Amino acid sequence: MSELRTSDAGLKLIKAYEGFSSDSRKLADGRWVIGYGHTKAAREGLKITEAEAQAILSEFDLPPIEDALNELLLVPVSQNEFDALVSFAFNIGLSQFESSDVLASVNANN
């Protein structure tokens, strides 16, 4: 099975669901978020452009998720399915995704 990467359509989907924030903002759990759902380096007082946010998403945030999905998926999936799974895993976090019913269902070929 060849390694899949998020398509342009998948990137648009993720950006639409996450929404863009040029200024960092504090989440209810105390973490900070900026750009398109980026939390790892977000902190109070940051400001970024939309181009910077897209670069962070596609070059920093998504590759570890794509790599994990390429390992975790035991059955072939379409590009659209992969994009949706990347979006879902990015949203809930990899550790939650690994133990999710969604992954179990996909791997059971459902």
Side-chain angles (χ1 to χ4, degrees), residues 6-57:
T6 307
S7 70
D8 288 341
L11 201 54
K12 280 175 109 170
L13 172 80
I14 293 167
K15 287 167 56 178
Y17 275 112
E18 292 297 329
F20 171 69
S21 177
S22 62
D23 296 304
S24 58
R25 58 186 168 81
K26 198 170 196 175
L27 298 172
D29 65 7
R31 294 179 303 152
W32 289 87
V33 64
I34 195 165
Y36 293 107
H38 178 76
T39 57
K40 287 184 182 93
R43 62 188 182 280
E44 187 175 8
L46 284 185
K47 187 169 184 69
I48 62 173
T49 67
E50 209 165 334
E52 291 168 330
Q54 180 161 331
I56 290 168
L57 179 65

